[in-house]
Amino acid sequence: MGENRVLCSLFLCFFVISCVNGEDPYRFFSWTVTYGDIYPLGVKQQGILINGQFPGPQIDSVTNDNLIISVLNNLTEPFLLSWNGLQQRRNSWQDGVYGTNCPIPPGVNFTYILQVKDQIGSFFYYPSLAFHKAAGGFGGITISSRPRIPVPFPPPAGDFTILAGDWFKANHTDLKAILDGGHNLPFPDGLLINGRGWNGNTFTVDQGKTYRFRISNVGLTTSINFRIQGHKMKLVEVEGSHTLQNTYSSLDIHLGQSYSVLVTMDQPGQDYYIVVSSRFTNPVLTTTSILHYSNSAGKVSGPPPGGPTIQIDWSLNQARSIRWNLTASGPRPNPQGSYHYGLINTTRTIRLANSAPIISDKQRYAVNSVSFIPADTPLKIADYFNISGVFYPGSISDNPTGGGGYLQTSVMAADFRAYVEIVFENSEDTVQSWHIDGYSFFVVGMDGGQWSPASRLSYNLRDTAARCTVQVYPKSWSAIYMALDNVGMWNIRSENWARQYLGQQFYLRVFSPARSWRDEYPIPKNALLCGRASGRKTRPL
């Protein structure tokens, strides 16, 4: 009888595990990170390769998949990967930025264990430490809908990822030294598409078919414009939200942003330019790839088609035209618009102003006058072990101070389940781009001039897209609504990587006094411990 009980228990355990794995499958990745020679602009550089590839391998997944990513750091310095746009629900332990994770030491293998919980869409990963992003180490992430969840367009004939952005011929160590010396970066040397310069990639398509292009701006300092010669683009997704399917001739994609478009191959059978050019720069940088019809009768010739250059109003109007598809399902089988974000009263307004102060004779960048400096121990780990003196919540104000810049490990306290309004205010002459880890937020408004409470009259409280990165135009503001439904320590940062490196970032500590595993996962057993947490234990189970 006891033996039967044991067999039944084992069978039940196996059945439960099988159901879980069948519902939320596991995908395993084994990556080795090395230095290697790359020649993206025709000049030999030291690049960061993943499994010998630049850009790195793509992660293709489905909603709720568990991703087990083993990373062997064969660099000569510490290394971290972060996942731009993955929300890490209840799990900021896996976010991969220095505020949450100890770096992976040279020669050490570390395994990220994360879930693409309740998400769809197009994102990317990148190295977050030591200006490594300027050397590569980035790659695309796709999250497809589960089979039973309807998608608001027919399956495309193919799916292409395009990782585009500005690039410097100098090695990342030289660029880091420039910033460490208190100076601005030089103007970029060019643009890349999937790690290559002019006509370095060919995308082969069949005439008459429709293809999906997932485009991310993985650059360091520059907004870009994307277009395909002779073809229109139907926008279908922005950073995890299905959009109204507006048609565009070209798209502005700001730093850190990702878009999905459908393109029908409805032109005569030949080759066409895929063009990426810089926005709001002088001079304008341009690079190309080739769209090759399989029945092509001729190669590309002549100059690639031009696009917008410094026009801000054009870009602002395009941004306002991007709307949520209220009738489409998101990661779950309910319409996206069933969450009425505009009918919820906000409980707090946070105004964030970027600035470029000189501190101790060095160029720095700041938020509300605070230029972030990393602590000697990751903030999340210090919080978990209750290590005093590493940071204190409230070390950055909710409003611009108007004062001079100063250095601080800035952390803002926030309550779990609060609903906040955040206004990004930009008094500078350059476009800014802001990203919030752990969240998707609603971009309710953007305009020129100074924000005031009266600006709320122009908010879109019905169908703005939910996303994780927002641009702020020169002498302008952008406002978002965000539900603080994800406990953790979350990085809010400039996506201009020089500004991020020199202090234009801080951390939002979303705290639940319940300290329940229901609200936040416990520290991983394999978590690396460093700084003042060295020598401690994670947890027994």
Side-chain angles (χ1 to χ4, degrees), residues 29 32 103 120 170 185 240 323 330 345 360 411 435 512 525:
F29 304 85
T32 300
I120 58 165
L185 291 181
R323 301 298 181 93
N345 292 326
S360 299
V411 177
H435 178 88
S512 170
K525 289 186 293 182

Side-chain angles (χ1 to χ4, degrees), residues 246-507:
N246 296 332
T247 298
Y248 300 93
S249 297
S250 70
L251 269 175
D252 276 357
I253 305 173
H254 303 278
L255 288 164
Q257 294 184 340
S258 299
Y259 290 79
S260 277
V261 297
L262 297 179
V263 183
T264 300
M265 305 305 150
D266 54 5
Q267 298 301 303
Q270 62 180 61
D271 291 356
Y272 298 88
Y273 283 116
I274 296 174
V275 187
V276 172
S277 60
S278 61
R279 286 289 265 124
F280 321 117
T281 66
N282 184 17
V284 174
L285 300 172
T286 303
T287 196
T288 59
S289 287
I290 302 300
L291 183 72
H292 171 69
Y293 277 43
S294 58
N295 63 341
S296 175
K299 297 182 179 296
V300 292
S301 61
T309 54
I310 62 171
Q311 304 92 330
I312 292 172
D313 285 349
W314 185 97
S315 187
L316 175 61
N317 289 332
Q318 182 178 84
R320 288 170 170 165
S321 73
I322 297 171
R323 301 298 181 93
W324 219 15
N325 185 338
L326 299 182
T327 62
S329 293
R332 294 176 297 278
N334 56 296
Q336 294 182 138
S338 62
Y339 180 81
H340 297 295
Y341 69 91
L343 299 180
I344 304 170
N345 292 326
T346 57
T347 55
R348 179 180 178 185
T349 295
I350 301 168
R351 295 169 53 211
L352 302 174
N354 50 269
S355 59
I358 303 296
I359 303 175
S360 299
D361 297 323
K362 289 187 175 182
Q363 178 67 67
R364 297 287 300 186
Y365 296 97
V367 190
N368 287 358
S369 301
V370 187
S371 186
F372 181 87
I373 50 173
D376 59 7
T377 306
L379 310 178
K380 182 64 183 170
I381 290 173
D383 204 16
Y384 175 80
F385 288 112
N386 198 26
I387 301 172
S388 63
V390 175
F391 73 92
Y392 64 92
S395 46
I396 180 172
S397 170
D398 278 19
N399 295 286
T401 67
Y406 60 96
L407 303 177
Q408 176 75 49
T409 303
S410 40
V411 177
M412 183 177 289
D415 295 329
F416 182 42
R417 295 204 174 99
Y419 192 66
V420 300
E421 173 189 43
I422 300 177
V423 183
F424 297 99
E425 301 181 11
N426 178 20
S427 62
E428 298 183 66
D429 292 325
T430 55
V431 64
Q432 306 291 312
S433 188
W434 288 92
H435 178 88
I436 301 181
D437 281 355
Y439 286 94
S440 186
F441 50 72
F442 296 94
V443 184
V444 293
M446 55 176 63
D447 207 347
Q450 179 65 46
W451 180 88
S452 72
S455 303
R456 296 180 179 128
L457 296 174
S458 66
Y459 283 4
N460 176 359
L461 300 181
R462 172 175 165 75
D463 63 352
T464 191
R467 57 188 312 169
C468 57
T469 310
V470 61
Q471 72 273 26
V472 192
Y473 292 101
K475 308 289 187 184
S476 299
W477 56 268
S478 294
I480 67 171
Y481 281 179
M482 187 167 78
L484 300 183
D485 57 0
N486 198 10
V487 172
M489 187 77 71
W490 302 108
N491 190 223
I492 298 182
R493 63 176 175 269
S494 171
E495 284 289 280
N496 181 308
W497 221 239
R499 285 178 168 259
Q500 177 273 155
Y501 181 80
L502 290 180
Q504 197 164 297
Q505 59 171 306
F506 68 96
Y507 282 82

Side-chain angles (χ1 to χ4, degrees), residues 199-213:
N199 295 349
N201 296 277
T202 298
F203 299 86
T204 300
V205 296
D206 292 335
Q207 191 176 35
K209 294 184 177 179
T210 298
Y211 294 80
R212 182 173 185 166
F213 288 81

